[in-house]
């Protein structure tokens, strides 16, 4: 396995950091602290990125934001990945039809990346904004991992499993098997999930300091998600649902994206959950049919 070039990794880390805070400009010291780089090295990388148009420097405030070259790169990426465009269009249509916020995500390395974040008619948005990331640790990423190989599943669970906790591992394997059987994920609302959503919103609105990634990992690890994946969904029973998610598969059979219904009403009956899930799965299937017919 090739070793990553340090300067390239640092440049990508800086771009990822700025993408997580849309609309916010950062100083050299802010970026160096967030990327865990010394100021001299960070300045050299920033200079190279500005020179290629990937970042833009404001001379008056001596701050940096994402640059115009990334707009062109993004347009080219859409043309090179038509499944992304289809999935994004589907997310917008689903949000409009169901009047719910819809999130489209992808797995990128050890993170979940928000690819599209669609608000409902009232302006309510998913907790994640486009470009934001969350660490790929349970429960995050379950709609992807449910269809992964055993080695990937074991590695994912191990990132969250307390040492020697066989019950935790068994429970998560059961939960993933249930997601595969249903064809979708249902996560019930936990008290801590509100704090995660608040942190994501504060990141986007520039009120959180640049240690957000460490705070996010700590917060996820503080939540015991074993009890928040229902073993059964009874039509007449009411549930407090955090999200309903389903995968979109590439032609090679890998789960490439996940469409997620978020900000759901406070309580839903099991029958309503199933109706929402059927609509969500139908949308994912339509995206895949169009992709295969192209």
């Amino acid at each position: 396995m090739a070793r990553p070039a340090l300067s390239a990794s640092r440049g990508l880390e800086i771009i990822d950091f700025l993408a997580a805070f849309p609309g916010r400009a950062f100083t050299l010291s802010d970026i160096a602290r967030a990327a865990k780089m010394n100021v001299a090295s960070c300045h050299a990388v920033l200079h190279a990125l500005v020179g290629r148009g990937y970042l833009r420097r404001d001379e008056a405030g001596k701050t940096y934001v994402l640059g115009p070259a990334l707009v062109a790169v993004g347009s080219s990426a859409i043309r090179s990945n038509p499944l992304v465009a289809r999935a994004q269009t589907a997310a917008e249509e689903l949000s409009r039809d169901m009047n719910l916020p819809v999130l489209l995500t992808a797995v990128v390395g050890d993170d979940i990346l928000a690819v599209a974040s669609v608000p409902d008619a009232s302006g309510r948005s998913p907790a994640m904004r486009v470009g934001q990331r969350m660490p790929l640790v349970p429960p995050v990423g379950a709609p992807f991992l449910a269809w992964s190989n055993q080695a990937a599943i074991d590695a994912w669970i191990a990132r969250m499993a307390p040492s020697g906790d066989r019950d935790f591992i068994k429970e998560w394997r059961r939960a993933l098997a249930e997601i595969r059987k249903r064809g979708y994920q249902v996560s019930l609302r936990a008290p801590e999930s509100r704090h995660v959503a608040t942190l994501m919103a504060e990141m986007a609105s520039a009120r959180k300091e640049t240690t957000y990634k460490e705070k996010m990992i700590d917060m996820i690890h503080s939540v015991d998600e074993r009890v928040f994946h229902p073993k059964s969904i009874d039509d007449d029973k009411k549930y407090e649902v955090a999200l309903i998610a389903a995968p979109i598969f590439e032609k090679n059979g890998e789960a490439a994206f996940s469409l997620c219904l978020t900000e759901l009403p406070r309580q839903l009956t099991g029958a309503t959950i199933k109706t929402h899930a059927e609509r969500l799965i139908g949308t994912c299937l339509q995206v895949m049919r169009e992709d295969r017919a192209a």
Side-chain angles (χ1 to χ4, degrees):
M1 182 175 173
R3 294 178 60 187
L6 185 58
S7 58
S9 297
R10 287 172 168 173
L12 294 173
E13 182 74 19
I14 289 170
I15 290 173
D16 288 343
F17 169 69
L18 292 176
F21 292 85
R24 181 174 177 182
F26 290 90
T27 65
L28 167 60
S29 58
D30 289 334
I31 295 170
R33 183 166 56 253
K36 296 181 173 60
M37 300 169 57
N38 67 60
V39 171
S41 296
C42 186
H43 184 265
V45 176
L46 288 172
H47 181 75
L49 291 172
V50 169
R52 298 298 296 269
Y54 293 108
L55 299 185
R56 181 170 57 83
R57 184 175 188 269
D58 177 63
E59 295 297 334
K62 300 189 186 317
T63 56
Y64 297 84
V65 296
L66 297 178
L70 289 173
V71 177
V73 170
S75 297
S76 296
I78 289 290
R79 290 194 296 272
S80 299
N81 297 274
L83 182 58
V84 177
R86 293 189 180 96
Q88 184 169 349
T89 299
E92 294 167 354
E93 293 175 352
L94 187 64
S95 176
R96 184 170 59 251
D97 293 347
M98 299 188 71
N99 194 27
L100 287 171
V102 176
L103 183 66
L104 175 67
T105 61
V107 172
V108 179
D110 292 331
D111 294 327
I112 291 288
L113 173 68
V115 178
S117 183
V118 186
D120 66 10
S122 70
R124 289 182 309 151
S125 298
M128 293 182 73
R129 306 282 184 92
V130 174
Q132 288 183 332
R133 296 174 181 243
M134 290 186 72
L136 186 61
V137 298
V140 177
F144 295 94
L145 271 297
W147 284 269
S148 294
N149 59 47
Q150 195 59 52
I153 290 173
D154 290 344
W156 179 70
I157 295 174
R159 294 177 193 139
M160 185 73 166
S163 179
D165 192 338
R166 294 182 178 180
D167 288 342
F168 182 94
I169 296 171
K170 180 180 179 180
E171 185 67 13
W172 260 110
R173 286 177 176 165
R174 179 206 64 77
L176 293 179
E178 193 63 50
I179 292 170
R180 284 195 302 274
K181 180 180 177 181
R182 291 174 181 156
Y184 61 92
Q185 175 196 12
V186 175
S187 281
L188 303 183
R189 194 182 303 277
E192 293 86 349
S193 67
R194 299 180 185 277
H195 301 312
V196 173
T198 299
L199 178 57
M200 298 300 290
E202 287 178 340
M203 282 167 53
S205 61
R207 292 197 301 267
K208 262 309 185 202
E209 63 272 28
T210 55
T211 56
Y212 75 93
K213 185 175 290 187
E214 290 80 1
K215 289 181 178 293
M216 180 65 69
I217 292 173
D218 289 344
M219 194 168 290
I220 291 173
H221 276 273
S222 72
V223 180
D224 183 353
E225 283 286 338
R226 283 176 289 191
V227 299
F228 300 120
H229 290 265
K231 294 182 179 180
S232 62
I233 301 175
D234 302 324
D235 286 354
D236 296 328
K237 185 177 178 180
K238 290 187 177 181
Y239 302 84
E240 292 197 13
V241 180
L243 61 85
I244 305 173
I248 296 173
F249 294 95
E250 289 184 307
K251 294 176 182 177
N252 63 8
E254 292 185 4
F257 301 99
S258 174
L259 272 178
C260 178
L261 303 177
T262 70
E263 302 299 318
L264 293 148
R266 183 67 181 172
Q267 289 191 329
L268 295 177
T269 64
T272 301
I273 292 172
K274 293 174 183 178
T275 299
H276 284 0
E278 288 174 6
R279 176 70 175 84
L280 180 63
I281 291 173
T283 297
C284 293
L285 288 173
Q286 183 60 35
V287 171
M288 289 185 281
R289 290 191 195 100
E290 292 174 357
D291 185 57
R292 283 150 181 74

